[in-house]
Coordinates of all heavy atoms in Angstrom, one line a residue:
E1 N -9.1 -28.9 19.9 CA -10.2 -29.1 19.0 C -10.0 -28.1 17.8 O -9.9 -26.9 17.9 CB -11.5 -28.8 19.7 CG -12.7 -28.6 18.9 CD -14.0 -28.4 19.8 OE1 -14.0 -28.9 20.9 OE2 -14.8 -27.7 19.3
A2 N -10.0 -28.6 16.6 CA -9.8 -27.9 15.4 C -11.1 -27.3 14.9 O -12.2 -27.8 15.0 CB -9.2 -28.7 14.3
K3 N -11.0 -26.1 14.3 CA -12.1 -25.4 13.8 C -11.9 -25.2 12.3 O -10.9 -24.8 11.8 CB -12.2 -23.9 14.3 CG -13.2 -23.8 15.4 CD -13.1 -22.5 16.1 CE -13.8 -21.5 15.5 NZ -14.0 -20.2 16.3
D4 N -13.0 -25.6 11.5 CA -12.9 -25.5 10.1 C -13.3 -24.0 9.6 O -13.0 -23.7 8.5 CB -13.7 -26.5 9.4 CG -13.2 -27.9 9.5 OD1 -11.9 -28.0 9.8 OD2 -13.9 -28.9 9.4
E5 N -14.0 -23.4 10.4 CA -14.5 -22.0 10.1 C -13.4 -21.0 10.4 O -12.7 -21.2 11.3 CB -15.7 -21.8 10.8 CG -16.9 -22.6 10.6 CD -18.1 -22.3 11.5 OE1 -18.2 -21.3 12.1 OE2 -19.0 -23.3 11.6
P6 N -13.4 -19.9 9.5 CA -12.4 -18.9 9.8 C -12.8 -18.1 11.1 O -13.9 -18.1 11.6 CB -12.6 -17.9 8.6 CG -13.9 -18.3 8.0 CD -14.2 -19.7 8.4
A7 N -11.8 -17.6 11.7 CA -12.0 -16.9 12.9 C -12.9 -15.7 12.7 O -12.9 -15.1 11.6 CB -10.6 -16.4 13.5
E8 N -13.7 -15.2 13.7 CA -14.6 -14.2 13.6 C -14.0 -12.8 13.2 O -14.6 -12.0 12.5 CB -15.4 -14.0 14.8 CG -16.5 -15.2 15.0 CD -17.2 -15.0 16.3 OE1 -17.4 -13.8 16.8 OE2 -17.7 -16.0 16.8
D9 N -12.7 -12.6 13.6 CA -12.1 -11.4 13.3 C -11.4 -11.3 12.0 O -10.8 -10.3 11.6 CB -11.1 -11.0 14.5 CG -10.0 -12.0 14.7 OD1 -10.1 -13.1 14.0 OD2 -9.0 -11.8 15.4
E10 N -11.5 -12.4 11.2 CA -10.8 -12.4 9.9 C -11.8 -11.7 8.9 O -13.0 -11.9 8.9 CB -10.5 -13.8 9.4 CG -9.4 -14.5 10.2 CD -9.2 -15.8 9.7 OE1 -9.6 -16.2 8.6 OE2 -8.5 -16.6 10.3
P11 N -11.2 -10.9 8.0 CA -12.1 -10.2 7.1 C -12.6 -11.2 6.0 O -12.0 -12.1 5.8 CB -11.2 -9.1 6.4 CG -9.8 -9.6 6.6 CD -9.8 -10.4 7.9
A12 N -13.8 -10.9 5.6 CA -14.4 -11.8 4.6 C -13.6 -11.6 3.2 O -13.0 -10.6 3.0 CB -15.9 -11.3 4.4
A13 N -13.6 -12.6 2.4 CA -12.9 -12.5 1.2 C -13.5 -11.4 0.3 O -14.7 -11.1 0.3 CB -13.1 -13.8 0.4
G14 N -12.6 -10.5 -0.2 CA -13.1 -9.4 -1.0 C -13.3 -8.1 -0.2 O -13.5 -7.1 -0.8
S15 N -13.3 -8.2 1.1 CA -13.4 -7.0 2.0 C -12.2 -6.2 2.0 O -11.1 -6.8 1.8 CB -13.9 -7.4 3.3 OG -12.8 -8.0 4.0
P16 N -12.3 -4.9 2.3 CA -11.1 -4.1 2.3 C -10.2 -4.6 3.5 O -10.7 -5.0 4.5 CB -11.5 -2.7 2.5 CG -13.0 -2.7 2.3 CD -13.5 -4.1 2.4
A17 N -8.9 -4.5 3.3 CA -8.0 -4.9 4.4 C -8.1 -4.0 5.6 O -8.3 -2.8 5.4 CB -6.6 -5.0 3.9
D18 N -8.0 -4.5 6.8 CA -7.9 -3.6 7.9 C -6.5 -3.0 8.1 O -5.5 -3.3 7.3 CB -8.4 -4.2 9.2 CG -7.5 -5.4 9.7 OD1 -6.3 -5.4 9.3 OD2 -8.0 -6.3 10.4
D19 N -6.4 -2.0 9.0 CA -5.1 -1.4 9.2 C -4.0 -2.2 9.4 O -2.8 -1.9 8.9 CB -5.2 -0.3 10.3 CG -6.0 1.0 10.0 OD1 -6.2 1.2 8.8 OD2 -6.3 1.7 10.9
D20 N -4.1 -3.3 10.1 CA -3.0 -4.3 10.3 C -2.5 -4.9 9.1 O -1.4 -5.4 9.0 CB -3.4 -5.3 11.4 CG -3.6 -4.7 12.8 OD1 -3.1 -3.5 13.0 OD2 -4.3 -5.2 13.5
E21 N -3.4 -5.1 8.1 CA -3.0 -5.8 6.9 C -2.5 -4.9 5.7 O -1.9 -5.3 4.9 CB -4.2 -6.7 6.4 CG -4.5 -7.7 7.3 CD -5.8 -8.5 6.9 OE1 -6.5 -8.0 5.9 OE2 -6.0 -9.6 7.4
R22 N -2.9 -3.6 5.9 CA -2.5 -2.7 4.8 C -1.1 -2.3 5.0 O -0.5 -2.3 6.1 CB -3.4 -1.4 4.8 CG -4.9 -1.8 4.5 CD -5.6 -0.5 4.4 NE -5.9 0.2 5.6 CZ -6.3 1.5 5.8 NH1 -6.6 2.1 4.7 NH2 -6.3 2.0 7.0
I23 N -0.4 -2.0 3.8 CA 1.0 -1.6 3.8 C 1.1 -0.1 4.1 O 0.5 0.7 3.5 CB 1.6 -1.9 2.4 CG1 1.4 -3.3 2.1 CG2 3.0 -1.5 2.4 CD1 2.1 -4.3 2.9
D24 N 2.0 0.3 5.1 CA 2.3 1.6 5.4 C 3.3 2.2 4.4 O 4.4 1.7 4.2 CB 2.9 1.7 6.8 CG 3.3 3.1 7.2 OD1 3.1 4.1 6.5 OD2 3.7 3.2 8.4
L25 N 2.8 3.2 3.6 CA 3.6 3.7 2.5 C 4.9 4.3 3.0 O 5.9 4.4 2.3 CB 2.8 4.9 1.8 CG 1.9 4.4 0.7 CD1 1.1 5.6 0.1 CD2 2.8 3.8 -0.4
N26 N 4.9 4.8 4.3 CA 6.1 5.4 4.8 C 7.1 4.4 5.3 O 8.2 4.7 5.7 CB 5.8 6.4 5.9 CG 5.2 7.6 5.3 OD1 5.6 8.1 4.3 ND2 4.2 8.2 6.0
R27 N 6.8 3.1 5.3 CA 7.7 2.1 5.7 C 7.8 0.9 4.6 O 8.7 0.0 4.8 CB 7.2 1.4 7.0 CG 7.2 2.4 8.1 CD 6.7 1.7 9.4 NE 6.7 2.6 10.5 CZ 7.7 2.7 11.4 NH1 8.7 1.9 11.4 NH2 7.6 3.5 12.4
A28 N 7.0 1.0 3.6 CA 7.0 -0.1 2.6 C 8.4 -0.3 1.9 O 9.0 0.7 1.5 CB 6.0 0.2 1.5
T29 N 8.7 -1.5 1.7 CA 9.9 -1.9 0.9 C 9.5 -1.9 -0.6 O 8.3 -1.9 -1.0 CB 10.4 -3.3 1.3 OG1 9.4 -4.3 1.0 CG2 10.7 -3.4 2.8
F30 N 10.5 -2.0 -1.4 CA 10.3 -2.1 -2.8 C 9.4 -3.3 -3.1 O 8.5 -3.2 -3.9 CB 11.7 -2.2 -3.5 CG 11.6 -2.4 -5.0 CD1 11.5 -1.3 -5.8 CD2 11.7 -3.7 -5.6 CE1 11.4 -1.5 -7.2 CE2 11.7 -3.8 -6.9 CZ 11.6 -2.7 -7.8
E31 N 9.8 -4.4 -2.5 CA 9.0 -5.7 -2.8 C 7.6 -5.6 -2.4 O 6.7 -6.1 -3.0 CB 9.7 -6.8 -2.0 CG 11.1 -7.2 -2.6 CD 12.2 -6.3 -2.1 OE1 12.0 -5.5 -1.2 OE2 13.3 -6.4 -2.7
Q32 N 7.3 -4.9 -1.3 CA 5.9 -4.7 -0.8 C 5.1 -3.8 -1.8 O 4.0 -4.1 -2.1 CB 5.8 -4.1 0.6 CG 6.2 -5.1 1.7 CD 6.4 -4.4 3.1 OE1 6.9 -3.3 3.2 NE2 5.8 -5.0 4.1
L33 N 5.8 -2.8 -2.3 CA 5.1 -1.9 -3.3 C 4.9 -2.7 -4.5 O 3.7 -2.6 -5.2 CB 6.0 -0.7 -3.6 CG 6.2 0.3 -2.4 CD1 7.2 1.3 -2.8 CD2 4.8 0.9 -2.0
R34 N 5.7 -3.6 -5.0 CA 5.5 -4.4 -6.1 C 4.3 -5.4 -5.9 O 3.5 -5.6 -6.8 CB 6.7 -5.2 -6.5 CG 7.9 -4.4 -6.9 CD 7.8 -4.0 -8.4 NE 7.9 -5.1 -9.2 CZ 7.1 -5.4 -10.2 NH1 6.0 -4.6 -10.4 NH2 7.2 -6.5 -10.9
D35 N 4.3 -6.0 -4.7 CA 3.3 -6.9 -4.3 C 1.8 -6.3 -4.4 O 0.9 -7.0 -4.7 CB 3.5 -7.5 -2.9 CG 4.6 -8.5 -2.9 OD1 5.1 -8.9 -4.0 OD2 5.1 -8.9 -1.8
V36 N 1.7 -5.0 -4.0 CA 0.3 -4.4 -4.0 C -0.1 -4.0 -5.4 O -1.2 -3.7 -5.6 CB 0.2 -3.3 -3.0 CG1 0.3 -3.7 -1.6 CG2 1.1 -2.1 -3.3
G37 N 0.9 -4.0 -6.4 CA 0.5 -3.7 -7.7 C 1.2 -2.6 -8.5 O 0.9 -2.3 -9.6
F38 N 2.2 -2.0 -7.9 CA 3.0 -1.0 -8.6 C 4.1 -1.7 -9.4 O 4.6 -2.7 -9.1 CB 3.7 -0.1 -7.6 CG 2.8 0.9 -6.7 CD1 2.5 0.6 -5.5 CD2 2.2 1.9 -7.4 CE1 1.6 1.3 -4.7 CE2 1.2 2.7 -6.7 CZ 1.0 2.4 -5.4
S39 N 4.4 -1.0 -10.6 CA 5.4 -1.5 -11.5 C 6.8 -1.2 -10.8 O 6.9 -0.6 -9.8 CB 5.3 -0.9 -12.8 OG 5.8 0.5 -12.7
V40 N 7.8 -1.8 -11.5 CA 9.2 -1.5 -11.0 C 9.5 -0.1 -11.0 O 10.0 0.5 -10.0 CB 10.2 -2.3 -11.9 CG1 11.7 -1.9 -11.6 CG2 10.1 -3.8 -11.6
A41 N 9.1 0.6 -12.1 CA 9.4 2.1 -12.2 C 8.6 2.8 -11.2 O 9.1 3.8 -10.5 CB 9.1 2.6 -13.6
Q42 N 7.3 2.5 -11.1 CA 6.4 3.2 -10.1 C 6.9 3.0 -8.6 O 7.0 3.9 -7.9 CB 5.0 2.7 -10.2 CG 4.4 3.2 -11.5 CD 3.1 2.4 -11.8 OE1 2.9 1.3 -11.4 NE2 2.3 3.0 -12.7
S43 N 7.4 1.8 -8.3 CA 7.9 1.5 -6.9 C 9.1 2.3 -6.7 O 9.3 2.9 -5.6 CB 8.2 0.0 -6.8 OG 7.1 -0.8 -6.9
T44 N 10.0 2.4 -7.7 CA 11.2 3.2 -7.6 C 10.9 4.7 -7.4 O 11.5 5.4 -6.5 CB 12.1 3.1 -8.8 OG1 12.4 1.7 -8.9 CG2 13.4 3.8 -8.7
R45 N 9.9 5.2 -8.1 CA 9.5 6.6 -8.0 C 8.9 6.9 -6.6 O 9.1 7.9 -6.0 CB 8.5 6.9 -9.0 CG 9.1 7.1 -10.4 CD 8.1 7.6 -11.4 NE 8.5 7.2 -12.7 CZ 7.8 6.5 -13.6 NH1 6.6 6.0 -13.3 NH2 8.3 6.2 -14.8
L46 N 8.1 5.9 -6.2 CA 7.5 6.1 -4.8 C 8.6 6.2 -3.7 O 8.5 7.0 -2.8 CB 6.6 4.9 -4.4 CG 5.2 5.0 -5.1 CD1 4.5 3.7 -5.1 CD2 4.3 6.1 -4.6
L47 N 9.5 5.3 -3.8 CA 10.6 5.4 -2.8 C 11.4 6.6 -2.9 O 11.8 7.2 -1.9 CB 11.5 4.1 -2.9 CG 10.8 2.8 -2.6 CD1 11.7 1.6 -3.0 CD2 10.4 2.7 -1.1
T48 N 11.7 7.1 -4.1 CA 12.5 8.3 -4.4 C 11.7 9.5 -3.7 O 12.2 10.3 -3.1 CB 12.8 8.5 -5.8 OG1 13.5 7.4 -6.3 CG2 13.6 9.8 -6.1
Y49 N 10.4 9.6 -4.1 CA 9.6 10.6 -3.6 C 9.6 10.6 -2.1 O 9.7 11.7 -1.4 CB 8.1 10.5 -4.2 CG 7.2 11.5 -3.7 CD1 6.9 12.6 -4.5 CD2 6.5 11.4 -2.5 CE1 6.0 13.6 -4.1 CE2 5.6 12.4 -2.1 CZ 5.4 13.5 -2.9 OH 4.5 14.5 -2.5
R50 N 9.3 9.5 -1.5 CA 9.3 9.3 0.0 C 10.6 9.8 0.7 O 10.6 10.7 1.6 CB 9.1 7.9 0.4 CG 8.9 7.6 1.9 CD 8.5 6.2 2.2 NE 9.6 5.4 2.0 CZ 9.6 4.1 2.1 NH1 8.4 3.5 2.2 NH2 10.7 3.3 2.0
E51 N 11.7 9.5 0.1 CA 13.0 9.9 0.6 C 13.2 11.4 0.5 O 13.6 12.1 1.4 CB 14.1 9.2 -0.2 CG 15.5 9.5 0.4 CD 16.6 8.7 -0.4 OE1 16.4 7.5 -0.6 OE2 17.6 9.3 -0.7
R52 N 12.8 12.0 -0.7 CA 13.1 13.4 -0.9 C 12.1 14.3 -0.2 O 12.4 15.4 0.3 CB 13.0 13.7 -2.4 CG 14.1 13.1 -3.2 CD 14.0 13.5 -4.7 NE 15.2 13.0 -5.4 CZ 15.2 12.9 -6.7 NH1 14.2 13.3 -7.5 NH2 16.3 12.4 -7.2
Q53 N 10.9 13.8 0.0 CA 9.8 14.6 0.7 C 9.7 14.4 2.2 O 9.0 14.9 2.9 CB 8.5 14.3 0.1 CG 8.4 14.6 -1.4 CD 8.6 16.1 -1.7 OE1 8.2 17.0 -0.9 NE2 9.3 16.4 -2.8
G54 N 10.5 13.4 2.6 CA 10.4 13.0 4.1 C 9.2 12.2 4.5 O 8.8 12.2 5.6
G55 N 8.6 11.6 3.5 CA 7.5 10.7 3.7 C 6.2 11.2 3.1 O 6.2 12.3 2.5
F56 N 5.1 10.4 3.2 CA 3.8 10.7 2.7 C 3.0 11.3 3.9 O 3.0 10.6 5.0 CB 3.2 9.6 2.1 CG 3.8 9.1 0.8 CD1 4.8 8.1 0.9 CD2 3.5 9.6 -0.4 CE1 5.4 7.6 -0.2 CE2 4.2 9.2 -1.5 CZ 5.2 8.2 -1.5
D57 N 2.3 12.3 3.7 CA 1.4 12.9 4.7 C 0.0 12.4 4.6 O -0.8 12.3 5.6 CB 1.3 14.4 4.7 CG 2.7 15.0 5.1 OD1 3.4 14.4 6.0 OD2 3.1 16.0 4.5
S58 N -0.4 12.0 3.4 CA -1.8 11.5 3.1 C -1.7 10.8 1.8 O -0.8 10.9 1.0 CB -2.8 12.7 3.0 OG -2.6 13.4 1.8
M59 N -2.8 10.0 1.6 CA -2.8 9.3 0.3 C -2.9 10.2 -0.9 O -2.5 9.8 -2.0 CB -4.1 8.3 0.3 CG -4.1 7.3 1.4 SD -2.8 6.1 1.1 CE -3.4 5.1 -0.2
D60 N -3.3 11.4 -0.7 CA -3.4 12.4 -1.8 C -2.0 12.7 -2.3 O -1.9 13.1 -3.5 CB -4.1 13.7 -1.4 CG -5.4 13.5 -1.0 OD1 -6.1 12.6 -1.6 OD2 -6.0 14.3 -0.3
D61 N -1.0 12.5 -1.5 CA 0.4 12.7 -1.9 C 0.8 11.8 -3.1 O 1.7 12.2 -3.9 CB 1.4 12.5 -0.8 CG 1.3 13.6 0.3 OD1 0.7 14.7 0.0 OD2 1.9 13.4 1.3
L62 N 0.2 10.7 -3.2 CA 0.5 9.7 -4.3 C 0.3 10.4 -5.7 O 1.0 10.1 -6.6 CB -0.3 8.5 -4.3 CG 0.0 7.5 -3.1 CD1 -1.0 6.4 -3.0 CD2 1.3 7.0 -3.4
A63 N -0.7 11.3 -5.8 CA -1.0 12.0 -7.1 C 0.2 12.9 -7.5 O 0.4 13.2 -8.7 CB -2.2 12.8 -6.9
G64 N 1.1 13.2 -6.6 CA 2.3 14.1 -6.9 C 3.4 13.3 -7.4 O 4.4 13.8 -7.8
V65 N 3.3 11.9 -7.3 CA 4.5 11.1 -7.8 C 4.2 10.8 -9.3 O 3.1 10.4 -9.7 CB 4.4 9.7 -7.0 CG1 5.5 8.8 -7.5 CG2 4.6 10.0 -5.5
P66 N 5.2 11.1 -10.1 CA 5.1 11.0 -11.6 C 4.8 9.5 -11.9 O 5.2 8.6 -11.3 CB 6.5 11.3 -12.1 CG 7.1 12.2 -11.1 CD 6.5 11.7 -9.7
G67 N 3.8 9.4 -12.9 CA 3.5 8.0 -13.4 C 2.6 7.2 -12.6 O 2.6 6.0 -12.7
M68 N 1.7 7.9 -11.9 CA 0.7 7.2 -11.0 C -0.7 7.4 -11.6 O -1.3 8.4 -11.3 CB 0.8 7.7 -9.6 CG 2.1 7.4 -8.9 SD 2.4 5.6 -8.7 CE 4.2 5.6 -8.6
P69 N -1.1 6.6 -12.5 CA -2.4 6.8 -13.1 C -3.6 6.7 -12.0 O -3.4 5.8 -11.1 CB -2.6 5.7 -14.2 CG -1.5 4.7 -13.9 CD -0.5 5.4 -13.0
D70 N -4.6 7.5 -12.2 CA -5.8 7.4 -11.2 C -6.3 6.0 -11.1 O -6.6 5.6 -10.0 CB -6.8 8.3 -11.7 CG -6.4 9.9 -11.6 OD1 -5.5 10.1 -10.8 OD2 -7.1 10.7 -12.2
D71 N -6.5 5.3 -12.2 CA -7.1 3.9 -12.0 C -6.2 3.0 -11.2 O -6.7 2.2 -10.4 CB -7.4 3.3 -13.4 CG -6.2 3.1 -14.3 OD1 -5.1 3.8 -14.0 OD2 -6.3 2.3 -15.2
L72 N -4.9 3.1 -11.3 CA -4.0 2.3 -10.5 C -4.2 2.7 -9.0 O -4.2 1.9 -8.0 CB -2.5 2.5 -10.9 CG -1.5 1.8 -10.0 CD1 -1.7 0.2 -9.9 CD2 -0.1 2.1 -10.4
L73 N -4.1 4.0 -8.8 CA -4.3 4.5 -7.3 C -5.6 4.1 -6.8 O -5.6 3.7 -5.6 CB -4.1 6.0 -7.3 CG -2.7 6.6 -7.8 CD1 -2.8 8.1 -7.7 CD2 -1.7 6.0 -6.9
S74 N -6.6 4.1 -7.4 CA -7.9 3.6 -7.0 C -7.9 2.1 -6.7 O -8.5 1.6 -5.7 CB -9.1 3.9 -8.0 OG -9.2 5.2 -8.2
E75 N -7.1 1.3 -7.5 CA -7.1 -0.1 -7.3 C -6.1 -0.5 -6.0 O -6.5 -1.4 -5.2 CB -6.4 -0.8 -8.5 CG -6.2 -2.3 -8.4 CD -5.5 -2.8 -9.6 OE1 -5.7 -2.3 -10.7 OE2 -4.7 -3.7 -9.5
V76 N -5.1 0.2 -5.8 CA -4.1 -0.1 -4.7 C -4.5 0.7 -3.4 O -4.1 0.2 -2.3 CB -2.7 0.2 -5.1 CG1 -2.3 -0.7 -6.2 CG2 -2.4 1.6 -5.3
A77 N -5.2 1.7 -3.4 CA -5.6 2.5 -2.2 C -6.1 1.6 -1.1 O -5.7 1.8 0.1 CB -6.5 3.6 -2.5
P78 N -7.0 0.7 -1.3 CA -7.4 -0.2 -0.2 C -6.4 -1.0 0.5 O -6.6 -1.5 1.6 CB -8.5 -1.1 -0.7 CG -8.9 -0.3 -2.0 CD -7.7 0.4 -2.5
K79 N -5.2 -1.2 -0.2 CA -4.2 -2.0 0.4 C -3.1 -1.3 1.1 O -2.1 -1.8 1.6 CB -3.5 -2.8 -0.8 CG -4.5 -3.6 -1.6 CD -3.7 -4.2 -2.9 CE -4.7 -4.9 -3.8 NZ -4.0 -5.3 -5.0
L80 N -3.3 0.1 1.1 CA -2.2 1.0 1.6 C -2.8 1.8 2.8 O -4.0 2.0 3.0 CB -1.8 1.9 0.5 CG -1.1 1.3 -0.7 CD1 -0.9 2.3 -1.8 CD2 0.1 0.5 -0.4
R81 N -1.9 2.3 3.6 CA -2.2 3.3 4.7 C -1.0 4.2 4.9 O 0.0 3.9 4.5 CB -2.6 2.5 5.9 CG -1.4 1.8 6.6 CD -1.9 1.0 7.8 NE -0.9 0.1 8.3 CZ 0.0 0.4 9.2 NH1 0.0 1.6 9.8 NH2 0.9 -0.5 9.6
I82 N -1.2 5.3 5.6 CA -0.1 6.2 6.0 C 0.0 6.1 7.5 O -0.9 6.3 8.2 CB -0.5 7.7 5.6 CG1 -0.8 7.8 4.1 CG2 0.6 8.6 6.0 CD1 0.3 7.6 3.2
G83 N 1.1 5.8 7.9 CA 1.5 5.6 9.4 C 0.9 4.5 10.1 O 0.3 3.6 9.6

């Protein structure tokens, strides 16, 4: 029997993504970073920072990556997670 309604465990449109849907910054690929809204240069800087620092400990670490404006970080934060 087919259901036209979304499953109860699916987030409503516009709601923040749950942990399973958010991108782990310590595992994200270049393409995933681009998909959430980072530019080519920003994605490259994030990957370089992650490699040099041994990963991100918290979302606050993003502020230490050059070229990450606060408004962009606010926009992409709901799509990201650490670990």
Side-chain angles (χ1 to χ4, degrees):
E1 170 178 328
K3 259 170 86 171
D4 290 337
E5 297 176 16
E8 290 180 23
D9 59 349
E10 290 181 16
S15 68
D18 64 26
D19 281 349
D20 293 336
E21 294 176 346
R22 293 188 294 166
I23 303 297
D24 180 355
L25 272 175
N26 287 323
R27 296 178 181 264
T29 65
F30 177 83
E31 290 79 14
Q32 288 173 315
L33 294 172
R34 293 283 292 128
D35 288 346
V36 298
F38 292 106
S39 71
V40 169
Q42 290 164 337
S43 297
T44 301
R45 287 187 202 120
L46 283 165
L47 294 174
T48 300
Y49 180 95
R50 183 175 77 191
E51 183 178 316
R52 290 182 179 166
Q53 300 299 319
F56 294 94
D57 294 322
S58 75
M59 295 297 284
D60 293 337
D61 290 348
L62 287 172
V65 180
M68 299 293 156
D70 289 340
D71 59 338
L72 172 64
L73 296 180
S74 296
E75 179 183 326
V76 300
K79 303 173 189 175
L80 303 171
R81 64 184 172 93
I82 305 293

